[in-house]
Amino acid sequence: MATKLSTYQSKRDFTLTREPSGEARPNPSDTLRFVVQRHDATRLHYDLRLELDGVFKSWAVAKGPSVDPHDKRLAVEVEDHPLDYGDFEGTIPKGQYGGGTVQLWDRGTWAPQGMTAEEGLARGDLKFTLAGEHLHGSWVLVRMKAWSGKRVNWLLIKHRDEHAHEGDADALLAADSSVASGRSMADIAAGRGRAPKPFIGAAPDTVAPDAVWDSSAGLAPALRARRKAPTPKPKAKPKHRPKPRPAAAAMPDFIEPQLCRSVDRPPAEAAWVHEIKFDGYRIQARIERGAAVLRTRKGLDWTERFKSVAAACGALADGIVDGEIVALDQDGAPDFAALQAALSAGKSDQLIFFAFDLLHAGGEDLRTLPLSARKDRLRKFLAKPGPLLRYVDHFDAGGDAVLHSACRLSLEGIVSKRADAPYVSGRGETWTKAKCRAGHEMVVGAWTDTGGRFRSLIVGVHRDGKLVHVGRIGTGFGQGKLDRLMPRLQAAAAEHSPFSGPGAPSAARDIHWLKPELVAEVEFAGWTDAGMVRQGAFKGLREDKPAEDVEAEAPAPAAKTELAAPARTGRSAPNARTGLVMGVPISRPDKVMWPEAGGDGEPVTKLDLARYYEAVAPWMLAHLKGRPCSIIRAPDGYAGETFFQRHAMPGSSVLLELVTVSGDRKPYIEIDRPEGLAAVAQVAALELHPWNCAPFQPDTPGRLIFDLDPGPDVAFAAVIRAAQDIRQRLSQIGLESFCKTTGGKGLHVVAPLAEAKTGPSWAEAKAFAHGVCRVMAKASPDRYVVNMSKKLRTGRIYLDYLRNDRLATAVAPLSPRARPGATVSMPLTWAQVKTGLDPQRYTIRSVPGLLAKTKAWAEYGDAARPLAQAIERLAG
């Protein structure tokens, strides 16, 4: 809540007031909570606070809530408050913001009526019910049109119901005792009586899931304040064992770096500290007599490549510093692609050296000291670091929460280190790394093209001394990356395949073999059972590690970890009531979205929906990322009121990208990260409908979709034959195609399109799709129709080509549908598109397990073909 609470925190000095700073994590709740605090400050008023999205939305009600529906009470909107403020009762010192006595006057649960709370707030008409000790029934907050200065004024009004009392406006305000302690305002002011009984109940101190990354100082200051001490204390040593001391020694030219062991989750023991994992080049800086030499993890001298960093290090005292050189994106997060671009352009003036260890200083070898002592020395060593040198802070508790925060912020992961361990070169047991997404260094053994245009890399890793093929990488190649990559590929050309062993690719006209000397950094969704990469994306070439050192690396379980792996079945565990998925709070997690899934008799809840999105995120994001996305929301489940949201709404989650497109001033949402899927689950988005453009290019067609919509009397077997018919016709004109269920009674045939520097336009893509459908309808008028009129569909299948327009959308692969049974739009292999196919078997319950076994759409990234050639062939 660092951003939501920034105004709250900026107004208070927590060294002077006992108000909560917002750093504690409250106990989770299956329902939304509210509190009303009587506040005797400059004047007596009542503060109404409604829990929403991890904070209390707050209003100062001047005269207190009235139970008379005719009485409209002024409620001034104030800054968001932390949830643990719901347990605050006491005095705020005079002279501080809001100085005076605070009493917990009422508390209980609340729920929005008729719409989501976000919609009500956006409209300025929030209807809700209260179930407290004093306040009950239905209420409304209505935003006034006239604003007073920077204040936003609302009216708090009681609705007519059994809890209303006309003509008795202040009937409840006579109650003078605290609902939490029983104390009067006078008792609280005097400090008499018992402490208030907790209602929110703060959980143990830990890292918030929505911490804010600050590139100048690591995680946000509010989050760093959670650390129990500046540095962890090493475990006590036996008295007979001497305390390690730094040894006086000459400074070596280079120290082999300590390396991390990969783990699934960070260690949970208190002896470990945790740092953000940087996505850059590991560098060791050796400073002597005002000059610095920068070496890679293999000892290569890269001082000339990082001249600016070397100059900055030269201002430090003599010593050896271990760290990482990183390029930062516009949001201040590490960006490996930007680092590659900077190196290619010979520009290092914007690169940052993040220092995390000190190995030698003051003529002393510090490696025998515990990490905690080395980092203390490093902090002092970097007392005046300058803009290009930064100290890497750490956290001494909550490794699981640090990892969740890093993942939520699209960082690479975290590194965990034993605070009491010395520095030991090589890969040991005292440093581990846990990543948010799978990633690996891979040797590039070949590349492929289509019609002379680059399509993919063929990569491998060393196993038992052989370079083993592990897959093709067909995404992640922007034009800038390709401009830097192609000369390297051409320079490494070879006549024969470098791969060996089972599954090695065979020679083909579109494969160009390479010497096994280039190392690529690849991000991917995981390994298949056969050891192949799933959904790999290219990040860039690495030059700091020889290709012969690239071996298969499998994460080992972290010892005694307390963090369970995310649920992958889509079904809530019996005790899973936290409502937290990928670090995103899910309010009202037990809200039923579907009464059952596929006839299993078990309701599918909002929390189940979020966990389903988490389970399929790696696969699904390949078809969402970089594309504006409309959503179908159903706050009361699929059978209730639903609405199609095309544009972003005020207050959209920060986990969603907001993008504008030409010709439209209103922004669209874009789901580019796994946590974004949890964010749309939070607003009950049951369906996702992305554009069909090329990623990050809304004006360029990226795929064609043929929607087969049968008439009510058409058997599904006829739809299957129609899909096969379209596939055959597209193949004849040079387009590869894929099939998926729609989650309803139809099928989608999808043809990925290769990017082109110019054209075809959306109009040409739509005309082409129309032409294909027209040819089919002309050849089989008894089976197909291209007119959308329902009266013409009797006994026939409507070939819907209209989704191939710039603003048109289609349901995403793996998106649920707001229909009975919680069905899903499931990608299929063409072998599955045959008699007996049952679209109803693909549901939120079944799909995560099926997805782990299927090879459907495995070649999608390599199957894109130029549309221009297909247009020519269709016309011919």
Side-chain angles (χ1 to χ4, degrees):
M1 261 65 69
T3 52
K4 294 180 181 178
L5 296 178
S6 56
T7 302
Y8 169 87
Q9 291 166 339
S10 68
K11 292 182 176 182
R12 291 161 176 83
D13 183 346
F14 297 109
T15 64
L16 300 176
T17 177
R18 293 191 295 117
E19 295 170 278
S21 64
E23 300 307 317
R25 177 179 291 179
N27 285 335
S29 172
D30 292 342
T31 55
L32 296 173
R33 295 162 287 195
F34 84 92
V35 297
V36 177
Q37 288 161 314
R38 194 198 306 255
H39 190 177
D40 190 6
T42 305
R43 60 182 61 87
L44 181 67
H45 63 278
Y46 291 73
D47 292 315
L48 169 65
R49 311 195 192 281
L50 304 179
E51 180 183 3
L52 185 64
D53 291 335
V55 296
F56 272 130
K57 308 299 291 185
S58 299
W59 292 262
V61 184
K63 296 181 180 180
S66 169
V67 291
D68 185 348
H70 299 287
D71 199 2
K72 301 175 182 179
R73 294 289 168 94
L74 176 66
V76 179
E77 185 176 350
V78 297
E79 72 275 8
D80 293 346
H81 281 53
L83 289 183
D84 45 340
Y85 208 98
D87 285 337
F88 175 66
E89 182 174 271
T91 55
I92 302 172
K94 298 295 182 183
Q96 295 300 301
Y97 178 77
T101 305
V102 177
Q103 179 194 69
L104 287 164
W105 181 79
D106 195 16
R107 60 189 184 185
T109 61
W110 79 282
Q113 282 185 302
M115 64 185 70
T116 66
E118 293 87 352
E119 292 163 358
L121 289 172
R123 295 185 186 184
D125 185 20
L126 176 62
K127 298 179 178 68
F128 56 97
T129 57
L130 296 177
E133 296 194 29
H134 293 310
L135 302 180
H136 301 274
S138 180
W139 300 73
V140 64
L141 277 164
V142 180
R143 187 168 55 225
M144 301 173 67
K145 293 183 179 180
W147 292 11
S148 175
K150 295 184 178 180
R151 301 192 312 176
V152 182
N153 292 337
W154 299 66
L155 295 175
L156 177 64
I157 308 169
K158 181 73 181 75
H159 280 154
R160 288 181 173 84
D161 58 21
E162 67 272 23
H163 302 289
H165 296 277
E166 296 188 29
D168 199 6
D170 298 326
L172 299 179
L173 301 184
D176 185 42
S177 60
S178 165
V179 295
S181 66
R183 297 185 295 173
S184 67
M185 292 289 282
D187 289 336
I188 297 170
R192 297 189 298 264
R194 62 180 181 177
K197 182 179 179 180
F199 173 59
I200 301 296
D205 201 16
T206 185
V207 177
D210 55 350
V212 175
W213 171 257
D214 178 353
S215 62
S216 65
L219 293 179
L223 186 146
R224 293 200 311 275
R226 299 180 199 282
R227 294 189 294 124
K228 298 176 182 177
T231 54
K233 296 180 180 180
K235 289 183 176 179
K237 303 289 183 179
K239 292 184 178 179
H240 66 274
R241 188 175 296 174
K243 184 178 180 180
R245 296 177 179 274
M251 189 162 56
D253 289 335
F254 177 71
I255 296 173
E256 181 186 351
Q258 182 162 351
L259 303 176
C260 297
R261 178 174 59 93
S262 292
V263 295
D264 291 321
R265 289 293 187 268
E269 294 92 334
W272 293 77
V273 298
H274 314 278
E275 302 170 348
I276 293 300
K277 188 179 188 305
F278 294 94
D279 199 4
Y281 278 123
R282 180 80 174 271
I283 291 293
Q284 188 177 114
R286 185 184 187 277
I287 307 103
E288 187 173 26
R289 298 177 184 177
V293 176
L294 307 183
R295 285 190 165 86
T296 69
R297 55 184 171 180
K298 285 297 181 180
L300 301 176
D301 187 340
W302 278 17
T303 308
E304 285 299 308
R305 304 191 74 177
F306 299 123
K307 290 182 180 179
S308 299
V309 172
C313 289
L316 300 173
D318 290 1
I320 296 179
V321 181
D322 196 357
E324 190 111 355
I325 288 183
V326 172
L328 302 178
D329 64 15
Q330 60 184 5
D331 298 319
D335 186 337
F336 188 74
L339 176 60
Q340 291 285 292
L343 289 177
S344 178
K347 297 179 180 179
S348 67
D349 54 327
Q350 297 297 317
L351 303 181
I352 310 297
F353 183 48
F354 285 94
F356 49 71
D357 215 327
L358 184 62
L359 311 185
H360 204 285
E364 298 174 331
D365 188 338
L366 307 181
R367 285 175 286 175
T368 59
L369 294 180
L371 173 69
S372 56
R374 299 197 309 272
K375 293 204 71 173
D376 276 342
R377 292 281 293 264
L378 176 62
R379 187 185 283 106
K380 297 172 184 176
F381 190 81
L382 296 172
K384 296 181 180 180
L388 301 187
L389 307 179
R390 298 179 188 173
Y391 171 77
V392 176
D393 211 337
H394 58 263
F395 305 92
D396 57 5
D400 52 350
V402 179
L403 178 61
H404 278 309
S405 296
C407 296
R408 178 191 178 280
L409 298 165
S410 296
L411 301 176
E412 190 180 11
I414 68 171
V415 172
S416 302
K417 304 174 181 179
R418 281 195 67 96
D420 55 359
Y423 190 95
V424 180
S425 297
R427 200 178 306 278
E429 297 298 316
T430 59
W431 284 19
T432 70
K433 60 183 177 182
K435 294 185 177 182
C436 298
R437 294 171 298 278
H440 210 294
E441 294 152 350
M442 297 180 182
V443 178
V444 184
W447 63 281
T448 69
D449 67 356
T450 300
R453 183 176 177 82
F454 175 87
R455 294 308 312 153
S456 66
L457 297 178
I458 303 179
V459 296
V461 296
H462 287 102
R463 290 179 181 146
D464 300 324
K466 299 178 180 179
L467 184 63
V468 178
H469 170 239
V470 295
R472 300 191 181 199
I473 311 302
T475 61
F477 301 99
Q479 192 58 50
K481 284 185 182 180
L482 283 177
D483 290 343
R484 297 189 295 270
L485 178 63
M486 288 307 301
R488 302 291 302 276
L489 297 178
Q490 292 163 355
E495 294 184 4
H496 304 289
S497 170
F499 299 105
S500 59
S506 303
R509 186 172 59 180
D510 63 339
I511 294 181
H512 307 272
W513 303 119
L514 300 173
K515 300 172 186 175
E517 58 188 26
L518 300 178
V519 178
E521 184 78 16
V522 177
E523 182 180 277
F524 56 100
W527 300 97
T528 67
D529 292 340
M532 304 295 284
V533 169
R534 296 189 69 228
Q535 301 166 32
F538 177 74
K539 294 178 68 177
L541 291 179
R542 298 202 71 98
E543 301 179 52
D544 58 340
K545 187 172 185 177
E548 56 267 23
D549 289 352
V550 176
E551 297 184 350
E553 182 180 299
K560 300 179 182 178
T561 180
E562 296 177 357
L563 180 65
R568 296 293 175 189
T569 64
R571 185 186 299 270
S572 297
N575 62 347
R577 297 276 68 86
T578 62
L580 193 69
V581 176
M582 293 185 282
V584 179
I586 305 298
S587 64
R588 304 183 70 189
D590 289 327
K591 182 70 176 179
V592 174
M593 299 289 101
W594 292 268
E596 61 179 3
D600 65 0
E602 293 291 328
V604 179
T605 66
K606 191 174 172 184
L607 184 60
D608 290 333
L609 174 65
R611 285 182 169 160
Y612 169 79
Y613 281 144
E614 180 185 24
V616 303
W619 208 104
M620 195 178 197
L621 285 173
H623 302 279
L624 292 175
K625 191 172 184 178
R627 298 176 174 94
C629 185
S630 300
I631 58 179
I632 292 181
R633 296 171 58 180
D636 295 315
Y638 90 90
E641 182 181 1
T642 63
F643 60 96
F644 188 83
Q645 180 184 326
R646 180 179 294 275
H647 294 96
M649 296 180 65
S652 293
S653 171
V654 296
L655 298 172
L656 300 172
E657 300 297 325
L658 300 186
V659 294
T660 55
V661 299
S662 58
D664 196 336
R665 294 183 179 181
K666 294 182 179 180
Y668 291 80
I669 67 170
E670 194 172 276
I671 305 171
D672 288 352
R673 62 182 78 177
E675 297 82 2
L677 289 168
V680 294
Q682 159 61 13
V683 296
L686 271 52
E687 296 189 13
L688 310 181
H689 291 251
W691 285 22
N692 295 312
C693 60
F696 304 104
Q697 300 180 56
D699 293 323
T700 302
R703 57 193 173 209
L704 298 175
I705 292 189
F706 298 87
D707 183 3
L708 308 181
D709 187 2
D713 55 343
V714 176
F716 191 68
V719 183
I720 293 173
R721 290 195 300 272
Q724 294 166 339
D725 192 355
I726 289 183
R727 180 195 186 195
Q728 182 180 5
R729 292 178 182 276
L730 292 177
S731 179
Q732 290 171 350
I733 52 179
L735 293 180
E736 294 291 328
S737 59
F738 300 82
C739 189
K740 67 183 180 75
T741 67
T742 63
K745 59 182 180 178
L747 291 173
H748 281 171
V749 177
V750 183
L753 302 178
E755 295 181 25
K757 292 184 177 180
T758 57
S761 65
W762 277 107
E764 291 170 313
K766 182 178 178 181
F768 169 81
H770 189 190
V772 172
C773 295
R774 219 172 31 240
V775 169
M776 290 179 60
K778 184 177 181 180
S780 303
D782 58 327
R783 295 171 57 196
Y784 306 130
V785 62
V786 293
N787 190 309
M788 67 188 303
S789 173
K790 289 193 176 184
K791 66 180 181 180
L792 297 178
R793 297 189 203 181
T794 303
R796 293 185 288 182
I797 297 171
Y798 170 46
L799 304 179
D800 184 358
Y801 62 90
L802 297 175
R803 301 187 184 279
N804 302 294
D805 207 347
R806 179 173 177 266
L807 296 177
T809 64
V811 67
L814 297 176
S815 170
R817 301 307 303 269
R819 299 179 180 182
T823 54
V824 167
S825 178
M826 182 65 179
L828 305 169
T829 65
W830 278 111
Q832 292 174 295
V833 186
K834 62 182 181 180
T835 302
L837 172 63
D838 179 11
Q840 299 303 308
R841 70 183 290 254
Y842 301 111
T843 71
I844 277 184
R845 296 272 195 255
S846 64
V847 163
L850 295 172
L851 194 62
K853 303 173 185 177
T854 185
K855 295 182 180 179
W857 294 37
E859 301 300 321
Y860 186 93
D862 289 333
R865 298 291 184 265
L867 179 58
Q869 296 177 12
I871 291 175
E872 292 176 1
R873 289 168 182 165
L874 181 66

